[in-house]
Amino acid sequence: VTGDVVPVYVDESMTSIDIRELKRQELTAYDAVHGKKHHLLTAVAARAPADALIPVAIWLADPDLSPALNRVQAMGHRLDRGRPVDGDIDAAQRALVVEKSRIYVAHNQVTVNAVAAVGGVVDYSSVHAPLVFAKLTPAQIAQAELLPGIQRIYTVPELTEKTESANP
């Protein structure tokens, strides 16, 4: 009658289930097997020699970005749910990028320092996301998993330039 679409998730016996709870259970089971490692990294680390430096991407928990939003609003920009509205939207967006970058740099530096402390090689720390790229041995990956704030550690394939597919 209303035209509303209401998703209902059911199990194999057609009993209604809470999809959020099911996803939480799946993540808990996944973490019990792999820890904070992505399953592809689990396989790579298991096959790698003890001294192999494995390229990884370390995804961190999101930092609190509210100070950046507050500073941008204090500059006179109006935000709605963290996005610029009204006025000079481009200037507000540029200010948001600068302010958020300050937070990401400080937030990521904690992991950069911790990775360096275990002997890892940090290749890049993002200024726009909670993300650090590094090279770690299998033992260092296990140590990195224990660091607070790390959500997942991914394997990173070697990147090569593919100029045959580039546009002029």
Side-chain angles (χ1 to χ4, degrees):
V1 172
T2 65
D4 292 342
V5 175
V6 180
V8 176
Y9 299 92
V10 295
D11 63 14
E12 57 277 351
S13 67
M14 299 302 289
T15 303
S16 178
I17 59 171
D18 179 353
I19 193 67
R20 290 172 298 187
E21 178 57 29
L22 180 62
K23 287 180 180 184
R24 277 191 292 274
Q25 290 171 6
E26 286 179 347
L27 186 57
T28 300
Y30 183 96
D31 289 348
V33 173
H34 301 285
K36 293 181 182 178
K37 293 185 299 290
H38 184 265
H39 64 276
L40 296 177
L41 179 57
T42 300
V44 168
R47 290 189 314 265
D51 61 345
L53 286 175
I54 301 169
V56 297
I58 303 170
W59 192 262
L60 309 171
D62 287 326
D64 177 13
L65 296 174
S66 61
L69 302 177
N70 294 338
R71 285 191 293 269
V72 170
Q73 286 178 319
M75 294 175 193
H77 300 291
R78 200 164 86 72
L79 304 177
D80 181 23
R81 288 178 269 152
R83 296 182 185 265
V85 292
D86 301 334
D88 191 346
I89 291 175
D90 288 340
Q93 189 61 43
R94 284 190 302 274
L96 267 174
V97 168
V98 168
E99 294 300 326
K100 286 180 178 180
S101 290
R102 289 182 182 150
I103 292 172
Y104 283 124
V105 166
H107 177 72
N108 295 355
Q109 190 61 45
V110 174
T111 300
V112 167
N113 295 343
V115 165
V118 300
V121 178
V122 176
D123 294 324
Y124 173 76
S125 177
S126 178
V127 298
H128 299 295
L131 179 64
V132 174
F133 289 91
K135 290 186 184 80
L136 302 169
T137 65
Q140 291 166 341
I141 291 170
Q143 288 178 298
E145 282 188 277
L146 302 175
L147 297 173
I150 291 182
Q151 288 190 331
R152 190 75 59 212
I153 306 173
Y154 299 89
T155 184
V156 178
E158 288 296 320
L159 302 177
T160 57
E161 196 171 328
K162 299 289 186 184
T163 57
E164 72 272 9
S165 66
N167 291 326

